[in-house]
């Protein structure tokens, strides 16, 4: 039987969903690793500030636009700054969870691919957080930026010395931006609507928010994009195979068994 490969379109009904309980455990595990793994680098405050100075100097050397240019747009009134802080605090996790749930229900093969990419991306980011602790620009005096969350609210962070729920010295790479970009790419790949490119507004707005609120440098987003690019190059999206009988099937490329999902995700 001859077969040919075409770009992915509609999800074939014959595609089996991975077991729900196992997927819940995997996804919850991914989020816990992200949430608590970042705290491995706590206690590196002096190094984090030194690295912040280096990143700031690198950006000036590369002639990147100043983060203050974005922040000034948000400081024209309290409302914009408050909305940006709210977006930063409330959209990141729910949007990613909604993305994975929708793929699981509607595009099972795309779900497996996206979950692998997110796992690999998050693992690589945590390693970088460990080897390169980085204070955000809101903590860098040389940046001269306003901590908009502290001034206008709402804030997801407490004082760094007493904040036991998050590591505020893990700015690079920005997983806020990396996950938002993966959500957009995943939905563009998994759907065929002519409007699907509008999903890129999500990472674009996220980029404006993370830079404008002084939670991240431009370099944090650049490194996040590079890591995601590597993950996408290694973990291929599904391909759609059309047989001579006219039946469409989707498969992951390269093909991997479900038992090897976690191994493949972190390689």
């Amino acid at each position: 039987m001859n077969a040919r490969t075409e770009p992915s379109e509609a999800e074939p009904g014959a595609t089996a969903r991975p077991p729900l309980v196992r997927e819940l455990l995997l996804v919850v595990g991914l989020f816990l690793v992200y949430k608590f793994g970042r705290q491995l680098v706590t206690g590196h405050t002096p190094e984090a500030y030194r690295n912040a100075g280096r990143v700031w100097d690198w950006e000036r050397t590369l002639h990147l636009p100043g983060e203050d240019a974005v922040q000034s747009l948000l400081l024209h009134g309290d409302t914009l700054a408050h909305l940006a802080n709210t977006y930063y605090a409330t959209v990141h996790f729910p949007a990613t969870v909604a993305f994975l749930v929708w793929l699981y229900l509607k595009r099972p093969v795309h779900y497996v691919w996206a979950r692998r990419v997110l796992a690999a991306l998050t693992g690589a980011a945590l390693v970088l957080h460990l080897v390169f602790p980085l204070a955000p620009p809101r903590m860098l005096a040389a940046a001269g930026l306003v901590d908009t969350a502290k001034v206008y609210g709402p804030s997801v962070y407490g004082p760094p010395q007493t904040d036991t729920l998050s590591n505020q010295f893990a700015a690079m790479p920005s997983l806020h931006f990396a996950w938002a970009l993966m959500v957009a790419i995943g939905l563009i790949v998994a759907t065929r609507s002519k409007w699907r490119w509008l999903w890129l507004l999500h990472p674009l707005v996220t980029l404006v928010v993370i830079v404008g609120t002084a939670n991240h440098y431009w370099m944090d987003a650049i490194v996040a994009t590079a890591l995601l690019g590597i993950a996408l190059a290694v973990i291929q999206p599904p391909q759609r195979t059309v047989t001579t009988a006219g039946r469409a099937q989707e498969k992951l490329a390269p093909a991997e068994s479900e038992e090897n999902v976690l191994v493949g995700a972190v390689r």
Side-chain angles (χ1 to χ4, degrees):
M1 181 178 293
N2 296 325
R4 59 190 179 89
T5 300
E6 294 180 350
S8 175
E9 294 183 8
E11 182 76 20
T15 302
R17 294 184 182 88
L20 178 59
V21 173
R22 187 192 65 187
E23 291 308 308
L24 287 174
L25 292 175
L26 288 172
V27 173
V28 169
L30 173 64
F31 277 86
L32 290 177
V33 167
Y34 164 73
K35 189 67 177 177
F36 298 108
R38 287 165 48 124
Q39 299 190 40
L40 292 173
V41 299
T42 55
H44 295 268
T45 303
E47 184 181 359
Y49 279 102
R50 286 195 297 271
N51 288 336
R54 294 188 183 104
V55 169
W56 186 257
D57 291 339
W58 293 342
E59 290 191 343
R60 307 292 76 79
T61 300
L62 295 172
H63 301 290
L64 294 178
E67 285 80 358
D68 59 330
V70 179
Q71 185 171 87
S72 63
L73 299 175
L74 302 181
L75 298 182
H76 285 301
D78 295 358
T79 301
L80 279 178
H82 183 79
L83 287 174
N85 294 328
T86 302
Y87 192 95
Y88 181 87
T90 62
V91 174
H92 176 48
F93 278 106
T96 308
V97 170
F99 165 69
L100 290 173
V101 169
W102 186 85
L103 287 182
Y104 180 84
L105 295 175
K106 300 296 185 179
R107 304 287 190 272
V109 176
H110 284 91
Y111 162 80
V112 174
W113 162 68
R115 187 248 289 146
R116 292 175 183 172
V117 172
L118 286 171
L121 172 65
T122 303
L126 292 177
V127 171
L128 189 53
H129 291 161
L130 181 63
V131 300
F132 194 78
L134 179 64
R138 58 188 166 82
M139 295 182 183
L140 182 64
L145 297 172
V146 176
D147 186 345
T148 60
K150 182 178 180 180
V151 175
Y152 300 99
S155 177
V156 295
Y157 302 121
Q161 299 81 3
T162 59
D163 188 355
T164 60
L165 297 178
S166 61
N167 171 35
Q168 298 187 46
F169 300 117
M172 179 182 289
S174 169
L175 282 176
H176 266 77
F177 181 73
W179 285 10
L181 185 57
M182 180 56 201
V183 167
I185 291 173
L187 290 172
I188 290 170
V189 171
T191 59
R192 301 303 298 169
S193 168
K194 65 179 181 179
W195 302 106
R196 68 189 186 279
W197 297 99
L198 291 177
W199 287 113
L200 290 173
L201 290 174
H202 176 42
L204 178 60
V205 172
T206 300
L207 180 60
V208 171
V209 165
I210 64 174
V211 173
T213 58
N215 281 295
H216 287 283
Y217 306 88
W218 293 114
M219 289 293 297
D220 299 339
I222 292 172
V223 172
T225 302
L227 289 179
L228 177 57
I230 294 171
L232 290 171
V234 174
I235 306 171
Q236 297 292 313
Q239 295 179 339
R240 184 171 183 264
T241 301
V242 181
T243 68
T244 54
R247 184 179 179 182
Q249 291 182 327
E250 285 190 352
K251 62 180 181 179
L252 284 172
E256 297 183 63
S257 67
E258 275 302 304
E259 290 75 9
N260 293 328
V261 164
L262 285 181
V263 176
V266 298
R267 281 191 297 218

